[in-house]
Amino acid sequence: MIYSKITGTGSYLPEKVLTNKDLEKLVDTSDKWIQERTGIKERHVAAEGETTCDLALHASRRAIEMSGISNADIDMVILATTTADKIFPGTACLLQKKLDVHGCPAFDVQAVCTGFVYALSIADKFIRAGETQCALVVGSETLSRILDWNDRSTCVLFGDGAGAVVLEAAAEPGIMSTHLHADGSYEHLLHVPHGISIGYEQLKAGEAYVYMEGNAVFKMAVNTLGQIVDEALEANRIGKSDIDWLVPHQANSRIIEATARKLKMSLERVVVTVAQHGNTSAASIPLALDVAVRDGRIKKGQTLMLEAFGSGFTWGSALLKF
Ligand code: UT7
């Protein structure tokens, strides 16, 4: 049997930090409200001209360095993003070019906040099928570009950043399972109302910003994340206590705490970066993973549960031995 295993992680945050106090000057909000309702204290924002691919490149180089591979070993690049650099080609191709990698498949995955879990699942399938030996899997976002900075209900929530992993073929798992889901009938609750197929005029008219019915999304997220945790445990015939670390999508500390309660996990076993990163969509899980690997909390051989919920709605999990 061939399995896939993460052999390196990396992440990158843009230099500029925007605190809740900074946001108080932009919209009618308060540091207290943001912290109480979301757990967010600050977020990073890309500099002018700094793109999703630029962030992805930094994160990828760090993951490649940790894994010990050379760029030429990479035979698949998958990049999860909602904020592509160009309408085409895919940002994965732009990243491939910057890494001087040639010929292997490179493509973007658009599953919004669940994008990294989708991308990881796809790479795992290619490796298990024997078609890929060494995949670079990235989540990278410049959400700040699609926020209405006059809308307090959304602009306080999101941030920019990137995370990456190198996933290699291995004799033992590695990735134990992935479960992916979507239900497009909830599109209207969390979306950017216009895209390029509606034409440039709407985009120019400023109708291409994040729109969210936060409270409805919140309730769905809490219920659904509880279910996907059960689904992953049952599929692997393991118990809650077998999980060493929960590495959740970082949207809201209250959602993360609810999932931890469901798993009967103390928050000491949950990687929480939302206070410093905000919601970085597809980048949030690989960013959190890299933080906890590099600070020594996550160790080789431990069992991790990655889970996400986002626009679509999309949701999913990955259970893995690190
Ligand atoms: O990553 C993809 C998935 N996304 C999520 O999972 C996000 C899910 N949703 C959430 O995290 C929460 O719903 C929010 C943080 C977005 C909002 O928290 P909430 O507890 O659900 O608040 P709410 O939307 O019910 O709004 C409560 C009040 C409203 O005022 P009224 O109508 O009660 O007078 C809002 O206008 O809070 C007001 N409000 C704010 N006040 C100060 C909304 N945004 C702000 C703000 N500052 N930034």
Side-chain angles (χ1 to χ4, degrees):
M1 278 285 272
I2 310 171
Y3 297 95
S4 75
K5 200 170 178 63
I6 293 175
T7 57
T9 65
S11 62
Y12 180 76
L13 291 158
E15 266 174 45
K16 186 179 172 191
V17 174
L18 200 62
T19 65
N20 292 348
K21 286 274 169 213
D22 294 330
L23 285 169
E24 284 178 2
K25 292 172 204 144
L26 288 180
V27 285
D28 180 17
T29 190
S30 67
D31 176 42
K32 185 170 178 292
W33 189 97
I34 301 172
Q35 285 209 47
E36 280 178 6
R37 302 288 180 121
T38 71
I40 300 168
K41 294 181 180 167
E42 59 190 33
R43 69 289 292 142
H44 291 248
V45 175
E48 208 181 316
E50 193 174 32
T51 70
T52 292
C53 187
D54 295 332
L55 308 188
L57 180 63
H58 288 296
S60 299
R61 282 187 174 141
R62 289 172 184 173
I64 290 165
E65 188 187 21
M66 186 190 285
S67 73
I69 61 158
S70 71
N71 293 14
D73 296 324
I74 295 168
D75 58 4
M76 170 168 279
V77 180
I78 312 181
L79 190 144
T81 190
T82 310
T83 44
D85 280 27
K86 298 185 172 195
I87 293 170
F88 67 82
T91 309
C93 293
L94 306 180
L95 177 64
Q96 190 195 33
K97 176 183 169 191
K98 288 194 178 186
L99 289 169
D100 199 20
V101 172
H102 306 273
C104 71
F107 56 94
D108 290 3
V109 166
Q110 162 59 301
V112 203
C113 298
T114 318
F116 180 77
V117 177
Y118 268 64
L120 194 67
S121 179
I122 295 165
D124 173 56
K125 305 278 184 295
F126 270 91
I127 289 176
R128 281 172 190 256
E131 287 191 28
T132 298
Q133 301 299 312
C134 179
L136 177 65
V137 185
V138 188
S140 185
E141 299 280 14
T142 46
L143 265 294
S144 61
R145 314 285 196 226
I146 55 166
L147 294 174
D148 176 353
W149 289 97
N150 297 309
D151 177 6
R152 69 174 184 174
S153 72
T154 52
C155 76
V156 304
L157 303 174
F158 297 93
D160 300 337
V165 301
V166 172
L167 196 69
E168 290 188 77
E172 288 174 3
I175 295 193
M176 298 155 68
S177 70
T178 57
H179 289 90
L180 305 180
H181 300 279
D183 187 342
S185 65
Y186 293 99
E187 162 219 351
H188 58 288
L189 293 177
L190 175 51
H191 64 144
V192 173
H194 294 298
I196 197 59
S197 84
I198 209 90
Y200 284 107
E201 290 311 313
Q202 266 88 351
L203 297 183
K204 277 194 227 148
E207 292 179 28
Y209 295 116
V210 173
Y211 169 85
M212 175 163 67
E213 291 183 25
N215 205 261
V217 177
F218 185 96
K219 286 178 191 151
M220 278 291 291
V222 170
N223 287 335
T224 309
L225 290 169
Q227 287 163 22
I228 61 174
V229 161
D230 285 339
E231 178 183 51
L233 294 177
E234 276 165 30
N236 291 280
R237 296 173 198 279
I238 64 167
K240 293 170 178 162
S241 57
D242 294 316
I243 297 172
D244 295 303
W245 288 100
L246 177 64
V247 189
H249 170 51
Q250 312 281 323
N252 184 317
S253 58
R254 291 186 293 143
I255 298 176
I256 294 171
E257 284 158 18
T259 312
R261 272 198 300 277
K262 167 89 188 170
L263 273 168
K264 296 195 173 16
M265 287 181 89
S266 98
L267 279 177
E268 272 139 43
R269 287 161 59 209
V270 183
V271 183
V272 186
T273 53
V274 69
Q276 291 75 37
H277 300 173
N279 180 347
T280 57
S281 194
S284 93
I285 291 178
L287 255 166
L289 175 66
D290 185 53
V291 166
V293 167
R294 285 180 192 265
D295 70 19
R297 277 180 288 170
I298 293 180
K299 295 183 178 60
K300 286 271 168 219
Q302 288 186 322
T303 302
L304 318 185
M305 165 88 76
L306 279 44
E307 46 85 348
F309 180 89
S311 170
F313 288 143
T314 56
W315 62 99
S317 72
L319 195 77
L320 60 96
K321 281 237 180 283
F322 187 69

